Amino acid sequence: MKVWTIANQKGGVGKTTTVVTLAGVLVKQGKRVLVIDTDPHASLGYYLGVDPEEVPGSLYDLFEAHDQLTLDKITCQIVPTSVEHLDLLPATMALATVDRKLGHVDGMGLVLKRILALIESNYDYVLVDCPPVLGVLMVNALACCEHIIIPVQTEFLALKGLNRMVKTMVLMGRSQNTRYQYTIVPTMFDKRTKASPQALKELQENYENTLWQNVIPVDTKFRDASLAHLPASHYVSNSRGVKAYSDLLTYLNSKSVGNG
Ligand SMILES: Nc1ncnc2c1ncn2[C@@H]1O[C@H](COP(=O)(O)OP(=O)(O)OP(=O)(O)O)[C@@H](O)[C@H]1O
Ligand SMILES: [Mg+2]
């Protein structure tokens, strides 16, 4: 099972779109995929047509039951989506209280890692979506994965948010005696603008070794696909955006070996 986390403290950079589109491409390749929503706003669930008000449970219940986790308890919170072989561990607004209620409890940063250890054989890939906020949820999301994908919108000031995110990862990695492996992914690239090529150039100059050497183009099909509650791969399989995410997937697979 390979576990990848999609994170950036900056909002609106394409995190949720990256999770859904990579998941769509993966299931089309016959993989069993679980996506996990750690964002209390539950955008990933809404995107996939799962109403957080109507789910029987959520990731929050598992945080509450952190010291009595069982396979049964975990699978009870996971819901299927309208896409075959794509499951969701949903978020609810209650997740917003995890920091305050449980943030001080010992071992709270490794709950998601322990959850994934119990469902290891059920999925080929797990993709974790993050809120644009540093807190217990992002700590869990970073600690449970083998590779971090950082989408960065190619626009003015893109580097500012990215520097912050990379600093956060280095600090958190140090506290866990590890060095996170990550890939920076330029998103919403629009070559007709001045800002996109300029931002890309800055990324290339500053993050040469960790930058994916390609871009996710701006593509209105992503918004259309989200309105249809479908991964773009299942909405218009041959769009430029889907092609770019397929290339990204090939690259990520070459970087991240997984554990079988
Ligand atoms: N490559 C793209 N081309 C055009 N629109 C895009 C692209 N990627 C994402 N979008 C659109 O940009 C908006 C923000 O994307 P998304 O929700 O994926 O960002 P996010 O980082 O998850 O945001 P948040 O931090 O609020 O969770 C959405 O409306 C989405 O449809
Ligand atoms: Mg999001």
Side-chain angles (χ1 to χ4, degrees):
M1 184 169 87
K2 289 187 184 188
V3 184
W4 297 341
T5 286
I6 292 74
N8 192 335
Q9 280 157 277
K10 192 156 171 11
V13 294
K15 294 182 288 293
T16 303
T17 304
T18 299
V19 170
V20 177
T21 315
L22 285 176
V25 175
L26 281 165
V27 293
K28 281 221 158 181
Q29 294 179 355
K31 308 295 186 200
R32 299 164 303 164
V33 182
L34 173 68
V35 289
I36 300 181
D37 197 354
T38 67
D39 186 346
H41 289 112
S43 317
L44 179 59
Y46 282 120
Y47 184 124
L48 290 168
V50 177
D51 187 336
E53 307 283 326
E54 289 180 3
V55 290
S58 78
L59 180 59
Y60 179 75
D61 298 84
L62 299 180
F63 270 93
E64 266 203 321
H66 61 93
D67 48 358
Q68 313 135 37
L69 289 170
T70 60
L71 177 60
D72 232 27
K73 267 193 195 144
I74 296 166
T75 49
C76 277
Q77 318 300 335
I78 292 176
V79 294
T81 69
S82 64
V83 177
E84 202 180 357
H85 302 308
L86 177 56
D87 289 350
L88 167 73
L89 177 48
T92 47
M93 268 317 273
L95 274 178
T97 65
V98 164
D99 270 290
R100 185 170 46 81
K101 282 194 182 154
L102 301 165
H104 58 280
V105 179
D106 253 7
M108 219 48 207
L110 295 174
V111 177
L112 203 47
K113 193 177 175 127
R114 290 196 280 122
I115 291 171
L116 294 181
L118 287 167
I119 54 169
E120 172 113 46
S121 54
N122 295 14
Y123 297 97
D124 301 307
Y125 286 81
V126 175
L127 304 178
V128 184
D129 194 13
C130 284
V133 182
L134 178 61
V136 173
L137 295 162
M138 202 200 277
V139 170
N140 270 273
L142 296 185
C144 75
C145 72
E146 70 201 51
H147 203 88
I148 298 162
I149 301 161
I150 309 177
V152 178
Q153 190 175 349
T154 43
E155 49 137 35
F156 183 54
L157 296 183
L159 276 178
K160 266 209 152 59
L162 178 60
N163 290 340
R164 207 152 47 101
M165 181 64 215
V166 169
K167 268 192 197 138
T168 299
M169 278 193 315
V170 171
L171 281 175
M172 283 183 37
R174 252 185 231 150
S175 74
Q176 287 169 6
N177 259 332
T178 180
R179 192 181 288 182
Y180 293 123
Q181 301 296 316
Y182 64 93
T183 296
I184 295 165
V185 176
T187 61
M188 301 186 220
F189 184 81
D190 187 348
K191 63 171 186 248
R192 296 165 304 180
T193 63
K194 240 187 188 168
S196 269
Q198 176 62 32
L200 185 62
K201 190 162 160 267
E202 280 184 31
L203 288 171
Q204 285 162 342
E205 283 165 6
N206 289 276
Y207 290 96
E208 197 192 351
N209 298 325
T210 44
L211 182 71
W212 179 46
Q213 295 301 319
N214 209 332
V215 293
I216 304 295
V218 71
D219 185 344
T220 53
K221 298 284 190 310
F222 285 118
R223 199 156 290 163
D224 298 346
S226 71
L227 288 173
H229 303 295
L230 284 172
S233 53
H234 290 62
Y235 184 73
V236 269
S237 58
N238 57 358
S239 69
R240 291 182 311 139
V242 172
K243 169 83 181 55
Y245 273 107
S246 303
D247 292 347
L248 174 63
L249 180 61
T250 306
Y251 175 80
L252 292 169
N253 273 327
S254 74
K255 285 263 160 197
S256 143
V257 188
N259 52 8

